[in-house]
Amino acid sequence: MNRVVHRSSKRPSALRAPGANRSNALHAGAWWLWALGLAVAASRTTNPLLLGLLVGVAGYVVAARRTDAPWARSYGAFIKLGLAVIVIRLLFSVFLGSPVPGERVLVTLPEVPLPDWAAGVRIGGRVTAEQLVFALYDGAKLATLLICVGAANALASPARLLKSLPGALYEAGVAVVVAMTFAPNMVADVGRLRTARRLRGRPTGGVRAVLQIGLPVLEGALERSVAVAASMDARGYGRTAEVPRTVRHTTTALMLGGLLGVCAGSYALLAAEGAGYGLPLLGAGLAAALAGLWLGGRRSVRTRYRPDRWGVRSWLVAGSGAAVAALMIRAGATDPAALHPGVVPLVAPVLPLWPAAGALLGLLPAFVAPVPPGPRGSPGPTAVPAQRKTAS
């Protein structure tokens, strides 16, 4: 009887995500593709219910799969930045006016007279409910984009993402890694010098204190940069292999053409009527850029230690974000009124069924991504517990 119970207890645990380790860690690029898919979906709508649903999906995945690393704590800062964007957008609409006409006047501010050459621009005047709702929708869309990017920053390790860059971007990746290493050191130097001045009874504010703190910080950063440059030169950084001239010219043409295609395709996807040709143009640009990166990687002579693998779970995470974006674009083509509630006249936003169900597909990483370790190295709350042996 005990044997039967022991076997049945293993079945639910096999469906759960495993604990994260070096061998099964999710690729950092998968998190970015998932977050960019949510951002594309947010850029296609101004419905506050759908935007709130996307923010909730991103927040749930971050809460379920965020680690205790220092870079994983940036999600709260992005949320605060999104709220600040909404407030600033509302203030601009109140004091600088809005092109949206309205009949429900809430307050009338003193209007500053402007010259004739500033026609169409006003400072003060009537503040209507329609223009505030329009500004709220517009600010909420931008805030959702920032929060989606913040989710990628909180879930994807910057060092592992830069480690996965192709060989053509190796020099740029090294520069970014060095910059990311120096920035925390400079912040720590500033805090250490301010503490030292405070213990000596000297002021830590004012222009004079800033100059007295800034000079030692810059001197220490210069010394560290010289030491890092010497160590990198001793280890052979910057070496490149000889490639034919035709390969170099082909690489340049593919990269420039690919980047132009990506920019034009992204602009078409963000526009209201460019979804038809935006996806093919974006795909062609990405293909050309990837071909250019592959050719450019032939100049790199480095080897990669323990490269991150793109497994089935990475495909599922990236595919969930792509599915959310595709379904939102499809809904915008079939029922644009549901994704963009009217403000003149004011109507209450309605949560459309199929776009909302598509947004919920973004929750898939919370169930398939490996569970990160706890704050003290213990498995997370959804990790598989160890089976105890029962006496027969």
Side-chain angles (χ1 to χ4, degrees):
M1 180 177 179
N2 290 335
R3 292 181 180 178
V4 175
V5 174
H6 181 67
R7 290 178 181 178
S8 61
S9 62
K10 287 185 178 180
R11 291 178 182 176
S13 62
L15 301 177
R16 300 180 182 178
N21 51 48
R22 185 179 293 273
S23 61
N24 66 353
L26 199 69
H27 199 284
W31 286 121
W32 273 100
L33 291 177
W34 167 79
L36 290 178
L38 296 184
V40 171
S43 67
R44 306 297 299 181
T45 179
T46 56
N47 191 323
L49 301 179
L50 288 177
L51 294 175
L53 184 61
L54 291 173
V55 171
V57 167
Y60 182 83
V61 174
V62 169
R65 292 299 183 264
R66 183 173 55 176
T67 63
D68 293 329
W71 43 264
R73 305 171 186 172
S74 61
Y75 186 68
F78 278 90
I79 293 178
K80 295 178 182 178
L81 181 61
L83 295 177
V85 166
I86 295 177
V87 172
I88 292 174
R89 183 66 180 86
L90 289 174
L91 291 178
F92 277 17
S93 177
V94 169
F95 293 104
L96 301 181
S98 175
V100 177
E103 299 179 355
R104 301 182 181 182
V105 181
L106 299 179
V107 65
T108 301
L109 300 177
E111 187 172 356
V112 178
L114 297 176
D116 297 335
W117 54 267
V121 180
R122 67 178 178 87
I123 300 178
R126 298 191 314 162
V127 179
T128 62
E130 289 82 358
Q131 77 177 61
L132 288 182
V133 172
F134 176 79
L136 178 63
Y137 289 173
D138 196 21
K141 180 170 69 172
L142 182 55
T144 306
L145 292 174
L146 292 174
I147 291 174
C148 292
V149 174
N153 278 276
L155 294 170
S157 172
R160 297 182 73 91
L161 180 63
L162 294 172
K163 180 183 176 182
S164 303
L165 287 176
L169 302 178
Y170 173 62
E171 288 82 3
V174 171
V176 174
V177 169
V178 171
M180 292 175 59
T181 305
F182 273 49
N185 291 332
M186 293 184 65
V187 173
D189 289 345
V190 172
R192 178 170 48 82
L193 291 173
R194 287 173 60 91
T195 302
R197 291 180 60 87
R198 192 178 298 109
L199 292 175
R200 293 187 178 97
R202 298 179 182 178
T204 57
V207 179
R208 183 177 180 182
V210 170
L211 293 177
Q212 292 179 354
I213 293 175
L215 290 178
V217 170
L218 292 178
E219 182 181 359
L222 181 60
E223 292 179 355
R224 280 195 300 268
S225 63
V226 172
V228 170
S231 62
M232 292 173 65
D233 183 68
R235 290 173 172 84
Y237 281 92
R239 296 178 300 171
T240 56
E242 292 293 336
V243 294
R245 182 178 298 179
T246 56
V247 175
R248 294 199 301 267
H249 293 336
T250 305
T251 302
T252 303
L254 287 174
M255 288 298 300
L256 290 178
L259 291 177
L260 289 177
V262 169
C263 293
S266 301
Y267 179 78
L269 288 178
L270 294 176
E273 60 277 351
Y277 64 89
L279 284 177
L281 191 58
L282 180 61
L286 287 175
L290 291 176
L293 290 176
W294 178 76
L295 285 178
R298 298 175 60 180
R299 298 181 56 194
S300 178
V301 295
R302 71 187 180 101
T303 57
R304 188 174 297 171
Y305 178 68
R306 287 184 178 179
D308 293 337
R309 298 179 179 179
W310 190 283
V312 177
R313 297 183 185 274
S314 299
W315 282 112
L316 290 175
V317 171
S320 64
V324 172
L327 291 176
M328 194 68 70
I329 292 174
R330 179 62 179 173
T334 57
D335 190 11
L339 301 187
H340 302 280
V343 294
V344 181
L346 279 176
V347 294
V350 179
L351 183 64
L353 178 60
W354 291 111
L360 292 178
L361 291 177
L363 293 173
L364 186 61
F367 303 98
V368 301
V371 181
R376 296 183 181 179
S378 59
T382 59
V384 181
Q387 298 290 340
R388 294 183 179 178
K389 295 183 180 180
T390 59
S392 58

